[in-house]
């Protein structure tokens, strides 16, 4: 919330004769030497120096004449000094704004310090400007772009450029697994309202379950804003502060019996001892520690030897294909031309 806005004169120093503390709205020209006001030489006054402006209508930021550099009001159509049209005139640069905690006093803004800061900022920009003066895309961007293009081309080649070779079946492997879960006592906690019905050994405790944000008064600032027409506005800006407060609730600590993963029974072999499911030796029932099956997995793998390099590689295949494949049977297979990786999905019996 902002209360009523008050308007005061900015101050400025004459850059030609050094006269200080001139008024931004009243003195458009220096009363001592006649020099024009330069908006870059405006600054905020201290609280003691403030001169209020009554019944001032804000029409916009002052304009700078493109022909002679004189300052004109935003409403002016032509330059008061040289008569040039002002429809393409640039707006004067403004000082921005400054703020203080409510009740604290403002001091005079240090114009010399601000001008030095701005000069150093422009100086540090110069090397960047000369580097980009070559116009168009900067060189580092071109280099990054070329590296990126090479990476993409390399990736595409590695993925799609293949050659064909042959391989023979050298060995077989199968794996069958049964996942087993057991009824186990599990400790857990939740808010008592959402506790499961079969919980036992319940212990109820009063604990913090959440935090709440509570409005806790206002924090106010005085904000001064350069309006760019030789005046600045001053207003109070207040924001609501908040504090955090703990929220308490009933938390229940309890035990429940749940089916949880316990172990995996596994069997594996080659072609000589054909695939079978492993013994699970389940302790069936509803007792604590009793077991049940949770799922089965099987995989069938052919192990190939490449005829060109002699390297071996493995491919998982469907069970019927695994059964139907003869030892030393020859297949064609595509391999990546870049990485030499075998593509199992291209296997074809010859
Ligand atoms: Zn002067
Ligand atoms: Zn002009």
């Amino acid at each position: 919330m902002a209360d009523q806005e008050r308007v005061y004169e900015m101050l400025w120093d004459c850059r030609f004769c050094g006269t200080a503390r001139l008024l931004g709205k009243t003195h458009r020209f220096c009363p001592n030497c006649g020099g024009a006001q330069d908006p870059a030489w405006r600054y905020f006054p201290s609280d003691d120096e403030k001169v209020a402006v009554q019944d001032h209508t804000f029409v916009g930021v002052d304009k700078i004449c493109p022909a002679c550099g004189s300052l004109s009001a935003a409403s002016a159509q032509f330059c008061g000094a040289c008569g040039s049209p002002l429809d393409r005139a640039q707006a004067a640069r403004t000082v921005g704004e400054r703020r203080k905690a409510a009740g604290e006093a403002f001091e005079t803004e240090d114009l010399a310090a601000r001008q030095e800061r701005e000069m150093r900022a422009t100086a540090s920009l110069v090397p960047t400007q000369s580097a980009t003066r070559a116009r168009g895309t900067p060189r580092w961007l071109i280099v990054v772009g070329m590296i990126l293009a090479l990476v993409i081309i390399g990736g595409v080649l590695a993925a799609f450029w293949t050659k064909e070779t042959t391989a023979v079946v050298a060995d077989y492997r199968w794996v069958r697994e049964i996942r087993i879960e057991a009824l186990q006592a599990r400790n857990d906690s939740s808010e008592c309202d959402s506790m499961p019905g079969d919980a036992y050994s319940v212990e109820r405790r009063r604990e913090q379950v959440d935090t709440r944000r509570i409005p806790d008064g206002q924090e106010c600032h005085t904000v001064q804003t350069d309006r760019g027409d030789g005046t600045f506005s001053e207003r109070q800006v207040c924001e609501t502060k908040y504090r955090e407060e703990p929220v308490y609730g009933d938390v229940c600590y309890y035990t429940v019996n749940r089916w949880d993963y316990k172990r995996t029974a596994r069997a594996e072999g080659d072609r000589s001892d054909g695939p079978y499911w492993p013994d699970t030796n389940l302790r069936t029932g509803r007792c604590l520690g009793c077991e049940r099956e949770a799922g089965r997995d099987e995989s069938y793998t052919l192990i190939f030897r490449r005829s060109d390099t002699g390297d071996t590689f493995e491919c998982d295949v469907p069970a019927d294909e695994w059964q139907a494949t003869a030892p030393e049977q020859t297949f064609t297979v595509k391999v990546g031309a870049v990485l030499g990786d075998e593509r199992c999905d291209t296997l074809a019996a010859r």
Side-chain angles (χ1 to χ4, degrees):
M1 263 210 322
D3 69 348
Q4 195 142 27
E5 208 170 60
R6 283 159 310 233
V7 178
Y8 302 92
E9 302 233 21
M10 291 292 281
L11 297 184
W12 62 283
D13 289 355
C14 176
R15 53 185 285 202
F16 303 105
C17 71
T19 307
R21 288 169 169 58
L22 295 164
L23 298 175
K25 181 177 178 301
T26 308
H27 302 127
R28 303 296 278 186
F29 296 90
C30 171
N32 284 329
C33 75
Q37 183 184 139
D38 183 340
W41 289 64
R42 288 172 178 162
Y43 52 94
F44 289 108
S46 70
D47 284 341
D48 296 338
E49 296 164 330
K50 277 194 304 201
V51 176
V53 178
Q54 306 297 342
D55 305 323
H56 174 60
T57 313
F58 178 69
V59 292
V61 175
D62 285 341
K63 290 194 275 198
I64 311 265
C65 171
C68 74
S70 296
L71 203 58
S72 290
S75 55
Q77 302 287 312
F78 299 95
C79 173
C82 74
S84 293
L86 292 175
D87 44 356
R88 277 205 194 90
Q90 279 202 315
R93 273 186 44 215
T94 60
V95 179
E97 65 170 42
R98 59 177 186 173
R99 56 171 57 210
K100 286 246 179 204
E104 269 184 60
F106 283 102
E107 63 281 355
T108 315
E109 188 192 1
D110 190 339
L111 172 66
R114 190 187 78 219
Q115 287 177 334
E116 203 189 312
R117 263 202 316 279
E118 286 172 354
M119 209 146 72
R120 236 181 284 131
T122 12
S124 70
L125 279 177
V126 169
T128 344
Q129 279 171 348
S130 68
T132 48
R133 193 169 299 151
R135 190 171 314 174
T137 326
R139 177 168 301 177
W140 68 267
L141 201 64
I142 296 174
V143 172
V144 169
M146 282 167 63
I147 292 173
L148 208 65
L150 283 176
V151 167
I152 291 170
I153 291 170
V156 168
L157 283 181
F160 294 110
W161 184 21
T162 57
K163 56 184 185 185
E164 198 171 77
T165 185
T166 56
V168 295
V169 177
D171 209 349
Y172 300 78
R173 191 174 69 240
W174 60 268
V175 177
R176 282 184 170 184
E177 287 180 336
I178 302 176
R179 273 169 286 121
I180 294 157
E181 51 190 25
L183 193 59
Q184 296 171 62
R186 189 200 294 171
N187 294 323
D188 212 341
S189 69
S190 66
E191 284 194 57
C192 292
D193 300 343
S194 54
M195 183 170 63
D198 60 340
Y200 58 94
S201 303
V202 179
E203 192 190 332
R204 189 179 281 258
R205 292 182 209 161
R206 192 85 182 152
E207 283 183 2
Q208 182 178 346
V209 292
D210 205 354
T211 48
R212 197 166 33 211
R213 264 159 55 95
I214 296 188
D216 187 23
Q218 299 239 302
E219 189 172 49
C220 293
H221 282 93
T222 310
V223 180
Q224 296 184 334
T225 309
D226 179 10
R227 308 218 292 175
D229 65 344
T231 68
F232 69 92
S233 65
E234 185 178 291
R235 65 192 199 279
Q236 291 276 344
V237 177
C238 294
E239 283 153 357
T240 309
K241 284 191 302 179
Y242 291 89
R243 70 188 151 85
E244 304 225 309
E245 196 173 78
V247 176
Y248 289 93
D250 286 330
V251 178
C252 284
Y253 290 79
Y254 52 81
T255 309
V256 281
N257 296 342
R258 289 286 177 270
W259 291 100
D260 280 330
Y261 172 80
K262 173 96 176 291
R263 63 191 173 95
T264 298
R266 179 186 169 97
E268 62 185 308
D270 54 25
R271 207 153 145 99
S272 60
D273 52 355
Y276 56 83
W277 289 104
D279 275 341
T280 51
N281 301 314
L282 291 182
R283 285 177 61 197
T284 51
R286 293 287 305 173
C287 62
L288 263 186
C290 285
E291 296 173 325
R292 70 181 185 190
E293 270 192 38
R296 292 181 172 217
D297 291 305
E298 55 192 319
S299 68
Y300 299 89
T301 308
L302 293 173
I303 296 148
F304 293 92
R305 189 171 52 250
R306 272 172 70 164
S307 47
D308 55 349
T309 60
D311 292 340
T312 56
F313 65 95
E314 301 183 355
C315 288
D316 286 351
V317 295
D320 51 347
E321 226 171 276
W322 187 86
Q323 292 283 7
T325 304
E328 298 297 323
Q329 189 176 340
T330 304
F331 283 76
T332 61
V333 64
K334 291 205 164 92
V335 297
V338 178
L339 302 172
D341 52 320
E342 301 83 9
R343 309 289 166 91
C344 288
D345 55 342
T346 65
L347 278 171
R350 268 227 306 214

